[in-house]
Amino acid sequence: MTHELPNALKDAGLKATPARKHILDLFSADCKPINAEYIHEKLKGEKINQVTIYRTLASFELAGIVKKIELQKGSAYYELAGKHHHHVVCVDCGKTEGFEICGVDKISKDILKQSSQFKTISQHSLELFGMCKSCSKG
Amino acid sequence: MTHELPNALKDAGLKATPARKHILDLFSADCKPINAEYIHEKLKGEKINQVTIYRTLASFELAGIVKKIELQKGSAYYELAGKHHHHVVCVDCGKTEGFEICGVDKISKDILKQSSQFKTISQHSLELFGMCKSCSKG
DNA sequence: TTTTTTGCAAAAGGTTTGCAACACG
DNA sequence: CGTGTTGCAAACCTTTTGCAAAAAA
């Protein structure tokens, strides 16, 4: 149960509280986007308040430990901030798969070139939606 | 005040009520993404209930008249469902600009080719975030 | 001990629902 | 006239806030 981010909390200037260590462990263990509800459910043995989870996610995001992603599932999802990547989401079961292909930087340059109103583009969101193999059976 | 979508309601099997006509006019007039609050504000003279606005947006989306877009501004935005395009959003003032460049279909093909889990990709969201010229001054 | 962090309760913000009254076609 | 639509009130769900108690360094 030792996490792969041993000094992430200290480096971020965050005190190493049980709640934070457990949540960090969860991120390391399940390498997939998770939301507050999932964390609360997975850690229900630890009796961590939902508010603490929201605050922990906010501080992790501020510290650059995790990244918030918009999967259009009605709540905010987070995952470890690692290599730049995007996701395919199954519209049926919600399963996600990451991918590293991303041509958006080139698109951004083209946009700026032809844009009358924008000066810089610093971020982007790109999510694909489709059917996974299990759900498209039958 | 005649709208550019004269038969959109009839074609969709929706009754041409005042609320729907006004909301449709708004979409035609302001060719930009708008949300429920904006509609409510713009049409406050018409005394249209918020619930009616939400239901109208839902029925318009179902009918394919409008498209919901995720601008990460805390509420759902909609715009007329026309040519496929995406947006740049100013992280400072929220201004949006549309653009038609989109290389995502090609990316989707590549993803599917290398994906172990997904069979089809049917939609995507792509939004860029940056600073508009007014906001990056100073 | 000092500064964070947590829990609780409550509120906020956007959106949805149930139901009766209303109005389009 | 009949079915679809609206308004009202209330619920819902996720997320945020205020404040005092608890805990990390």
Side-chain angles (χ1 to χ4, degrees):
Chain A
M1 199 52 76
T2 58
H3 46 70
E4 279 74 47
L5 297 153
N7 296 312
L9 294 176
K10 191 188 289 183
D11 293 350
L14 297 172
K15 292 186 176 174
T17 66
R20 286 174 176 164
K21 284 190 274 189
H22 282 118
I23 294 175
L24 198 52
D25 280 342
L26 248 196
F27 274 109
S28 303
D30 307 2
C31 279
K32 63 177 186 185
I34 59 182
N35 66 0
E37 182 194 7
Y38 176 92
I39 294 171
H40 192 237
E41 177 63 21
K42 278 276 181 179
L43 298 181
K44 62 167 170 274
E46 318 295 335
K47 302 251 187 5
I48 300 175
N49 193 283
Q50 304 228 44
V51 174
T52 300
I53 294 173
Y54 282 108
R55 285 194 275 225
T56 301
L57 289 172
S59 61
F60 280 12
E61 190 186 15
L62 196 63
I65 298 171
V66 303
K67 213 165 109 45
K68 187 197 279 195
I69 49 185
E70 304 287 335
L71 300 181
Q72 302 181 28
K73 295 207 239 178
S75 63
Y77 280 70
Y78 296 81
E79 66 187 346
L80 285 178
K83 195 179 301 190
H84 179 82
H85 70 287
H86 298 286
H87 303 87
V88 203
V89 183
C90 178
V91 295
D92 209 41
C93 71
K95 180 190 300 164
T96 65
E97 184 176 353
F99 62 88
E100 289 172 18
I101 302 174
C102 171
V104 180
D105 283 344
K106 176 178 177 354
I107 294 176
S108 298
K109 282 204 192 86
D110 293 342
I111 301 309
L112 281 181
K113 215 175 296 177
Q114 69 173 45
S115 169
S116 55
Q117 299 188 79
F118 277 79
K119 188 163 182 182
T120 60
I121 290 172
S122 49
Q123 315 161 45
H124 61 262
S125 76
L126 167 63
E127 314 298 338
L128 309 185
F129 301 89
M131 292 279 270
C132 75
K133 289 179 180 171
S134 323
C135 290
S136 59
K137 267 177 191 155
Chain B
M1 199 53 75
T2 57
H3 46 69
E4 278 75 48
L5 296 153
N7 296 311
L9 294 176
K10 190 188 290 181
D11 293 351
L14 297 172
K15 291 186 176 172
T17 66
R20 287 173 176 165
K21 284 190 274 189
H22 281 118
I23 294 176
L24 198 52
D25 280 342
L26 249 197
F27 274 109
S28 303
D30 306 3
C31 278
K32 64 176 184 184
I34 60 181
N35 65 0
E37 182 194 7
Y38 176 92
I39 295 170
H40 193 237
E41 177 63 20
K42 278 276 182 179
L43 298 182
K44 61 167 171 274
E46 316 296 335
K47 301 252 186 9
I48 300 175
N49 193 283
Q50 304 229 45
V51 174
T52 299
I53 294 172
Y54 282 108
R55 285 194 275 225
T56 301
L57 289 171
S59 62
F60 280 13
E61 189 185 16
L62 196 64
I65 299 171
V66 302
K67 214 165 110 43
K68 187 198 281 196
I69 49 185
E70 304 288 335
L71 299 182
Q72 302 180 28
K73 293 207 240 176
S75 63
Y77 279 71
Y78 297 80
E79 65 187 346
L80 284 178
K83 194 179 304 190
H84 179 82
H85 69 288
H86 299 286
H87 303 86
V88 204
V89 183
C90 178
V91 295
D92 208 43
C93 71
K95 180 191 298 165
T96 65
E97 183 176 354
F99 62 89
E100 289 172 18
I101 302 174
C102 172
V104 179
D105 283 344
K106 178 181 175 352
I107 294 176
S108 299
K109 283 205 191 85
D110 292 342
I111 302 309
L112 281 180
K113 215 175 297 175
Q114 68 174 44
S115 169
S116 54
Q117 300 189 78
F118 277 78
K119 188 163 181 183
T120 60
I121 291 172
S122 50
Q123 315 160 45
H124 61 263
S125 78
L126 166 64
E127 313 300 335
L128 309 184
F129 301 89
M131 292 279 268
C132 76
K133 290 179 180 169
S134 322
C135 290
S136 58
K137 268 179 192 155

